[in-house]
Amino acid sequence: MTMSKRRAFLRLGAAALAAPALLTAGRARAADGTKWRMQALWGGGTTPMIYEEAFCARVAELTNGSLEITPFAGGQIVPSAQAFDAVRGGAFEMMKTFDGYTAGKIPAHGFSSTVPFGFPDPDQYEAWFYERGGLELARESYAPAGLTYIAPTVYGQEPMHSTVPIRTIADLNGLKGRFVGLAAAVMGDFGVAVSPLPTSEVYSALDKGLIEVADRGDIKANYEEGLQEVAKYLILPGIHQPTTATSYVANTRAYDALDDQQKAALAVAAREISGSLRQNIIVSDGEYLKKYQDAGVEIIDLDPVDIAEARNQAVESWKKAATDNLSTRMMESQVALMQELRLL
C-alpha cells in the first residue's frame, strides 16, 4: 500500500470512528437509512455466521443506524453458487464469499482466497492485503463484474484428513484426494489424483474409500461433521490451505451510493471481525485437537523443512495457475513478500 493510499485508509477509519460531523449526519438519516441484505457462506448458528451477525451490528453501530445490513445464512436468499450473479444483478446488495469458488473464471481469485504452501501465518497474508497492494488487486478483480471488493476476513489453516498416514510431502504422491480451487491444481502437481467433490460429499467419500485424503473446512467444523469417524489421521499444518481469506463483496452501484462514513464503517468493521474470528479459531483449534485425539485420531505434524522445500516447488505451480495479467501481478506480489519474509 502506498503512503497516499495508507493515509486515505486511515482518514476513512478515523471518519467512521470519530468524526462528529459525520456521526451527526448519520443520526439525521437513521430514521430512513440505507438497508442492505447480505448472504453469507455459513449455516445459521455456526461460529462464522455469528461473526457475520456481529459484523452487521458493528456497521450499524459505527453509522448510528444509517446503514443497516440484514445477514442471511448461506442459501437463504439464493443457492450459494448463484450469489455472485445475484449480487451483480442487484437481487441483494452484499455477499460474504470465498474467492476460490470463482477462480475458474477469474484466475486472480485463486490467490486472493488461499495460496497452497504459501503464507504460513494469517498475519502475513493479511499484511499482503493491507500493506502490499492486495486489497487494490482484489478490487480490480471484481470491478469488471460490477462488484466492489470491500475487505477480507483472514484466518488460519484448514487441516487435511486422511485414511492413511501422511508423514512427508512425498507421501501425497499417488493418493486420491478432494481439493478445490488453486489447491486442486497445486496438489495435483504433487501427485494427488484430485476429485473436486462438493463439501457435502467429503464424509461419505472418505467413508467409502473413494478418496484417501481431503480438505473440507476448519478443525472445529470438520469435527462437528464427524470426520474423526472416517479418517483416523489429521495432518498439520494444512499445506493446501495454510491461511484463508473470505471476502465481503458488494454491488458497485449500491456501494457507490453510500457516503464516506458508511464506506469507512464497512472497512473498519470488516478489519475488526477478521481479527476477532482469527483469535476465536486459535482457541477453538486447541480445544478440538484434544477431542480428535480422544476419538482415536493421530495428529501428524509435517516437518517444517519438508514444507519449506515444497514451497519452492509450489512456486512453479503458482506460475502455471496465473494465466492472465492480473493473476500474474497478484502472484508476483505475493512471491515478493514471501521472499522479504525469507519464506522463499
Side-chain angles (χ1 to χ4, degrees):
M1 181 182 289
T2 64
M3 185 60 70
S4 62
K5 289 178 180 175
R6 187 177 293 112
R7 290 195 189 102
F9 177 81
L10 292 173
R11 283 198 300 271
L12 283 175
L17 293 171
L22 287 175
L23 291 175
T24 300
R27 283 193 291 272
R29 290 190 307 273
D32 57 349
T34 302
K35 299 184 186 299
W36 278 15
R37 296 189 298 166
M38 178 185 79
Q39 180 169 296
L41 290 163
W42 329 107
T46 61
T47 297
M49 191 63 202
I50 291 170
Y51 277 84
E52 303 304 352
E53 293 164 357
F55 164 78
C56 295
R58 183 63 170 142
V59 170
E61 179 184 16
L62 289 170
T63 62
N64 202 38
S66 74
L67 176 56
E68 296 181 3
I69 304 173
T70 301
F72 292 84
Q76 271 196 297
I77 305 177
V78 298
S80 295
Q82 298 176 19
F84 184 100
D85 289 332
V87 175
R88 178 170 59 177
F92 50 99
E93 292 78 15
M94 189 174 179
M95 63 180 171
K96 186 63 175 294
T97 188
F98 177 67
D99 289 359
Y101 294 153
T102 45
K105 296 180 179 179
I106 305 173
H109 286 181
F111 297 93
S112 57
S113 50
T114 187
V115 184
F117 292 94
F119 297 106
D121 186 321
D123 280 338
Q124 295 168 339
Y125 198 17
E126 191 167 64
W128 172 76
F129 278 99
Y130 286 101
E131 300 295 332
R132 285 295 186 270
L135 205 58
E136 289 77 13
L137 291 168
R139 287 172 179 162
E140 187 177 340
S141 75
Y142 275 99
L147 296 168
T148 296
Y149 184 101
I150 295 170
T153 299
V154 183
Y155 52 94
Q157 66 180 326
E158 294 191 356
M160 292 189 297
H161 296 264
S162 180
T163 59
V164 298
I166 299 172
R167 304 190 189 280
T168 69
I169 305 299
D171 290 341
L172 290 166
N173 188 36
L175 296 182
K176 296 174 291 183
R178 182 269 183 185
F179 299 96
V180 297
L182 182 57
V186 175
M187 299 303 277
D189 287 344
F190 280 85
V192 178
V194 175
S195 298
L197 300 170
T199 301
S200 59
E201 296 181 17
V202 170
Y203 181 102
S204 61
L206 285 167
D207 188 34
K208 295 175 182 177
L210 301 177
I211 56 175
E212 297 154 300
V213 59
D215 155 53
R216 182 191 175 276
D218 64 51
I219 288 171
K220 177 181 178 180
N222 293 349
Y223 184 89
E224 292 174 339
E225 181 65 16
L227 293 196
Q228 70 279 4
E229 300 167 357
V230 294
K232 290 303 180 182
Y233 300 93
L234 188 151
I235 318 302
L236 297 176
I239 50 177
H240 65 290
Q241 194 164 326
T243 49
T244 306
T246 54
S247 310
Y248 290 109
V249 178
N251 175 281
T252 295
R253 185 174 297 179
Y255 181 80
D256 287 346
L258 301 178
D259 63 30
D260 285 348
Q261 183 212 20
Q262 292 168 328
K263 292 176 181 177
L266 290 170
V268 170
R271 191 86 185 259
E272 290 177 356
I273 290 300
S274 181
S276 296
L277 178 60
R278 184 157 66 247
Q279 291 158 13
N280 176 272
I281 289 174
I282 289 171
V283 174
S284 174
D285 282 356
E287 175 187 350
Y288 276 82
L289 286 174
K290 177 65 166 56
K291 292 186 177 184
Y292 278 103
Q293 290 178 313
D294 291 344
V297 173
E298 180 183 350
I299 298 173
I300 299 175
D301 294 299
L302 296 173
D303 185 347
V305 174
D306 196 15
I307 296 171
E309 292 175 353
R311 184 178 298 121
N312 285 286
Q313 179 182 340
V315 172
E316 297 306 312
S317 299
W318 303 342
K319 290 178 179 178
K320 287 194 298 182
T323 56
D324 63 10
N325 178 269
L326 178 57
S327 58
T328 298
R329 286 188 286 127
M330 194 174 283
M331 180 271 297
E332 288 177 347
S333 71
Q334 291 177 345
V335 168
L337 179 55
M338 288 184 210
Q339 289 171 335
E340 291 177 29
L341 297 173
R342 303 176 67 86
L343 296 172
L344 291 172

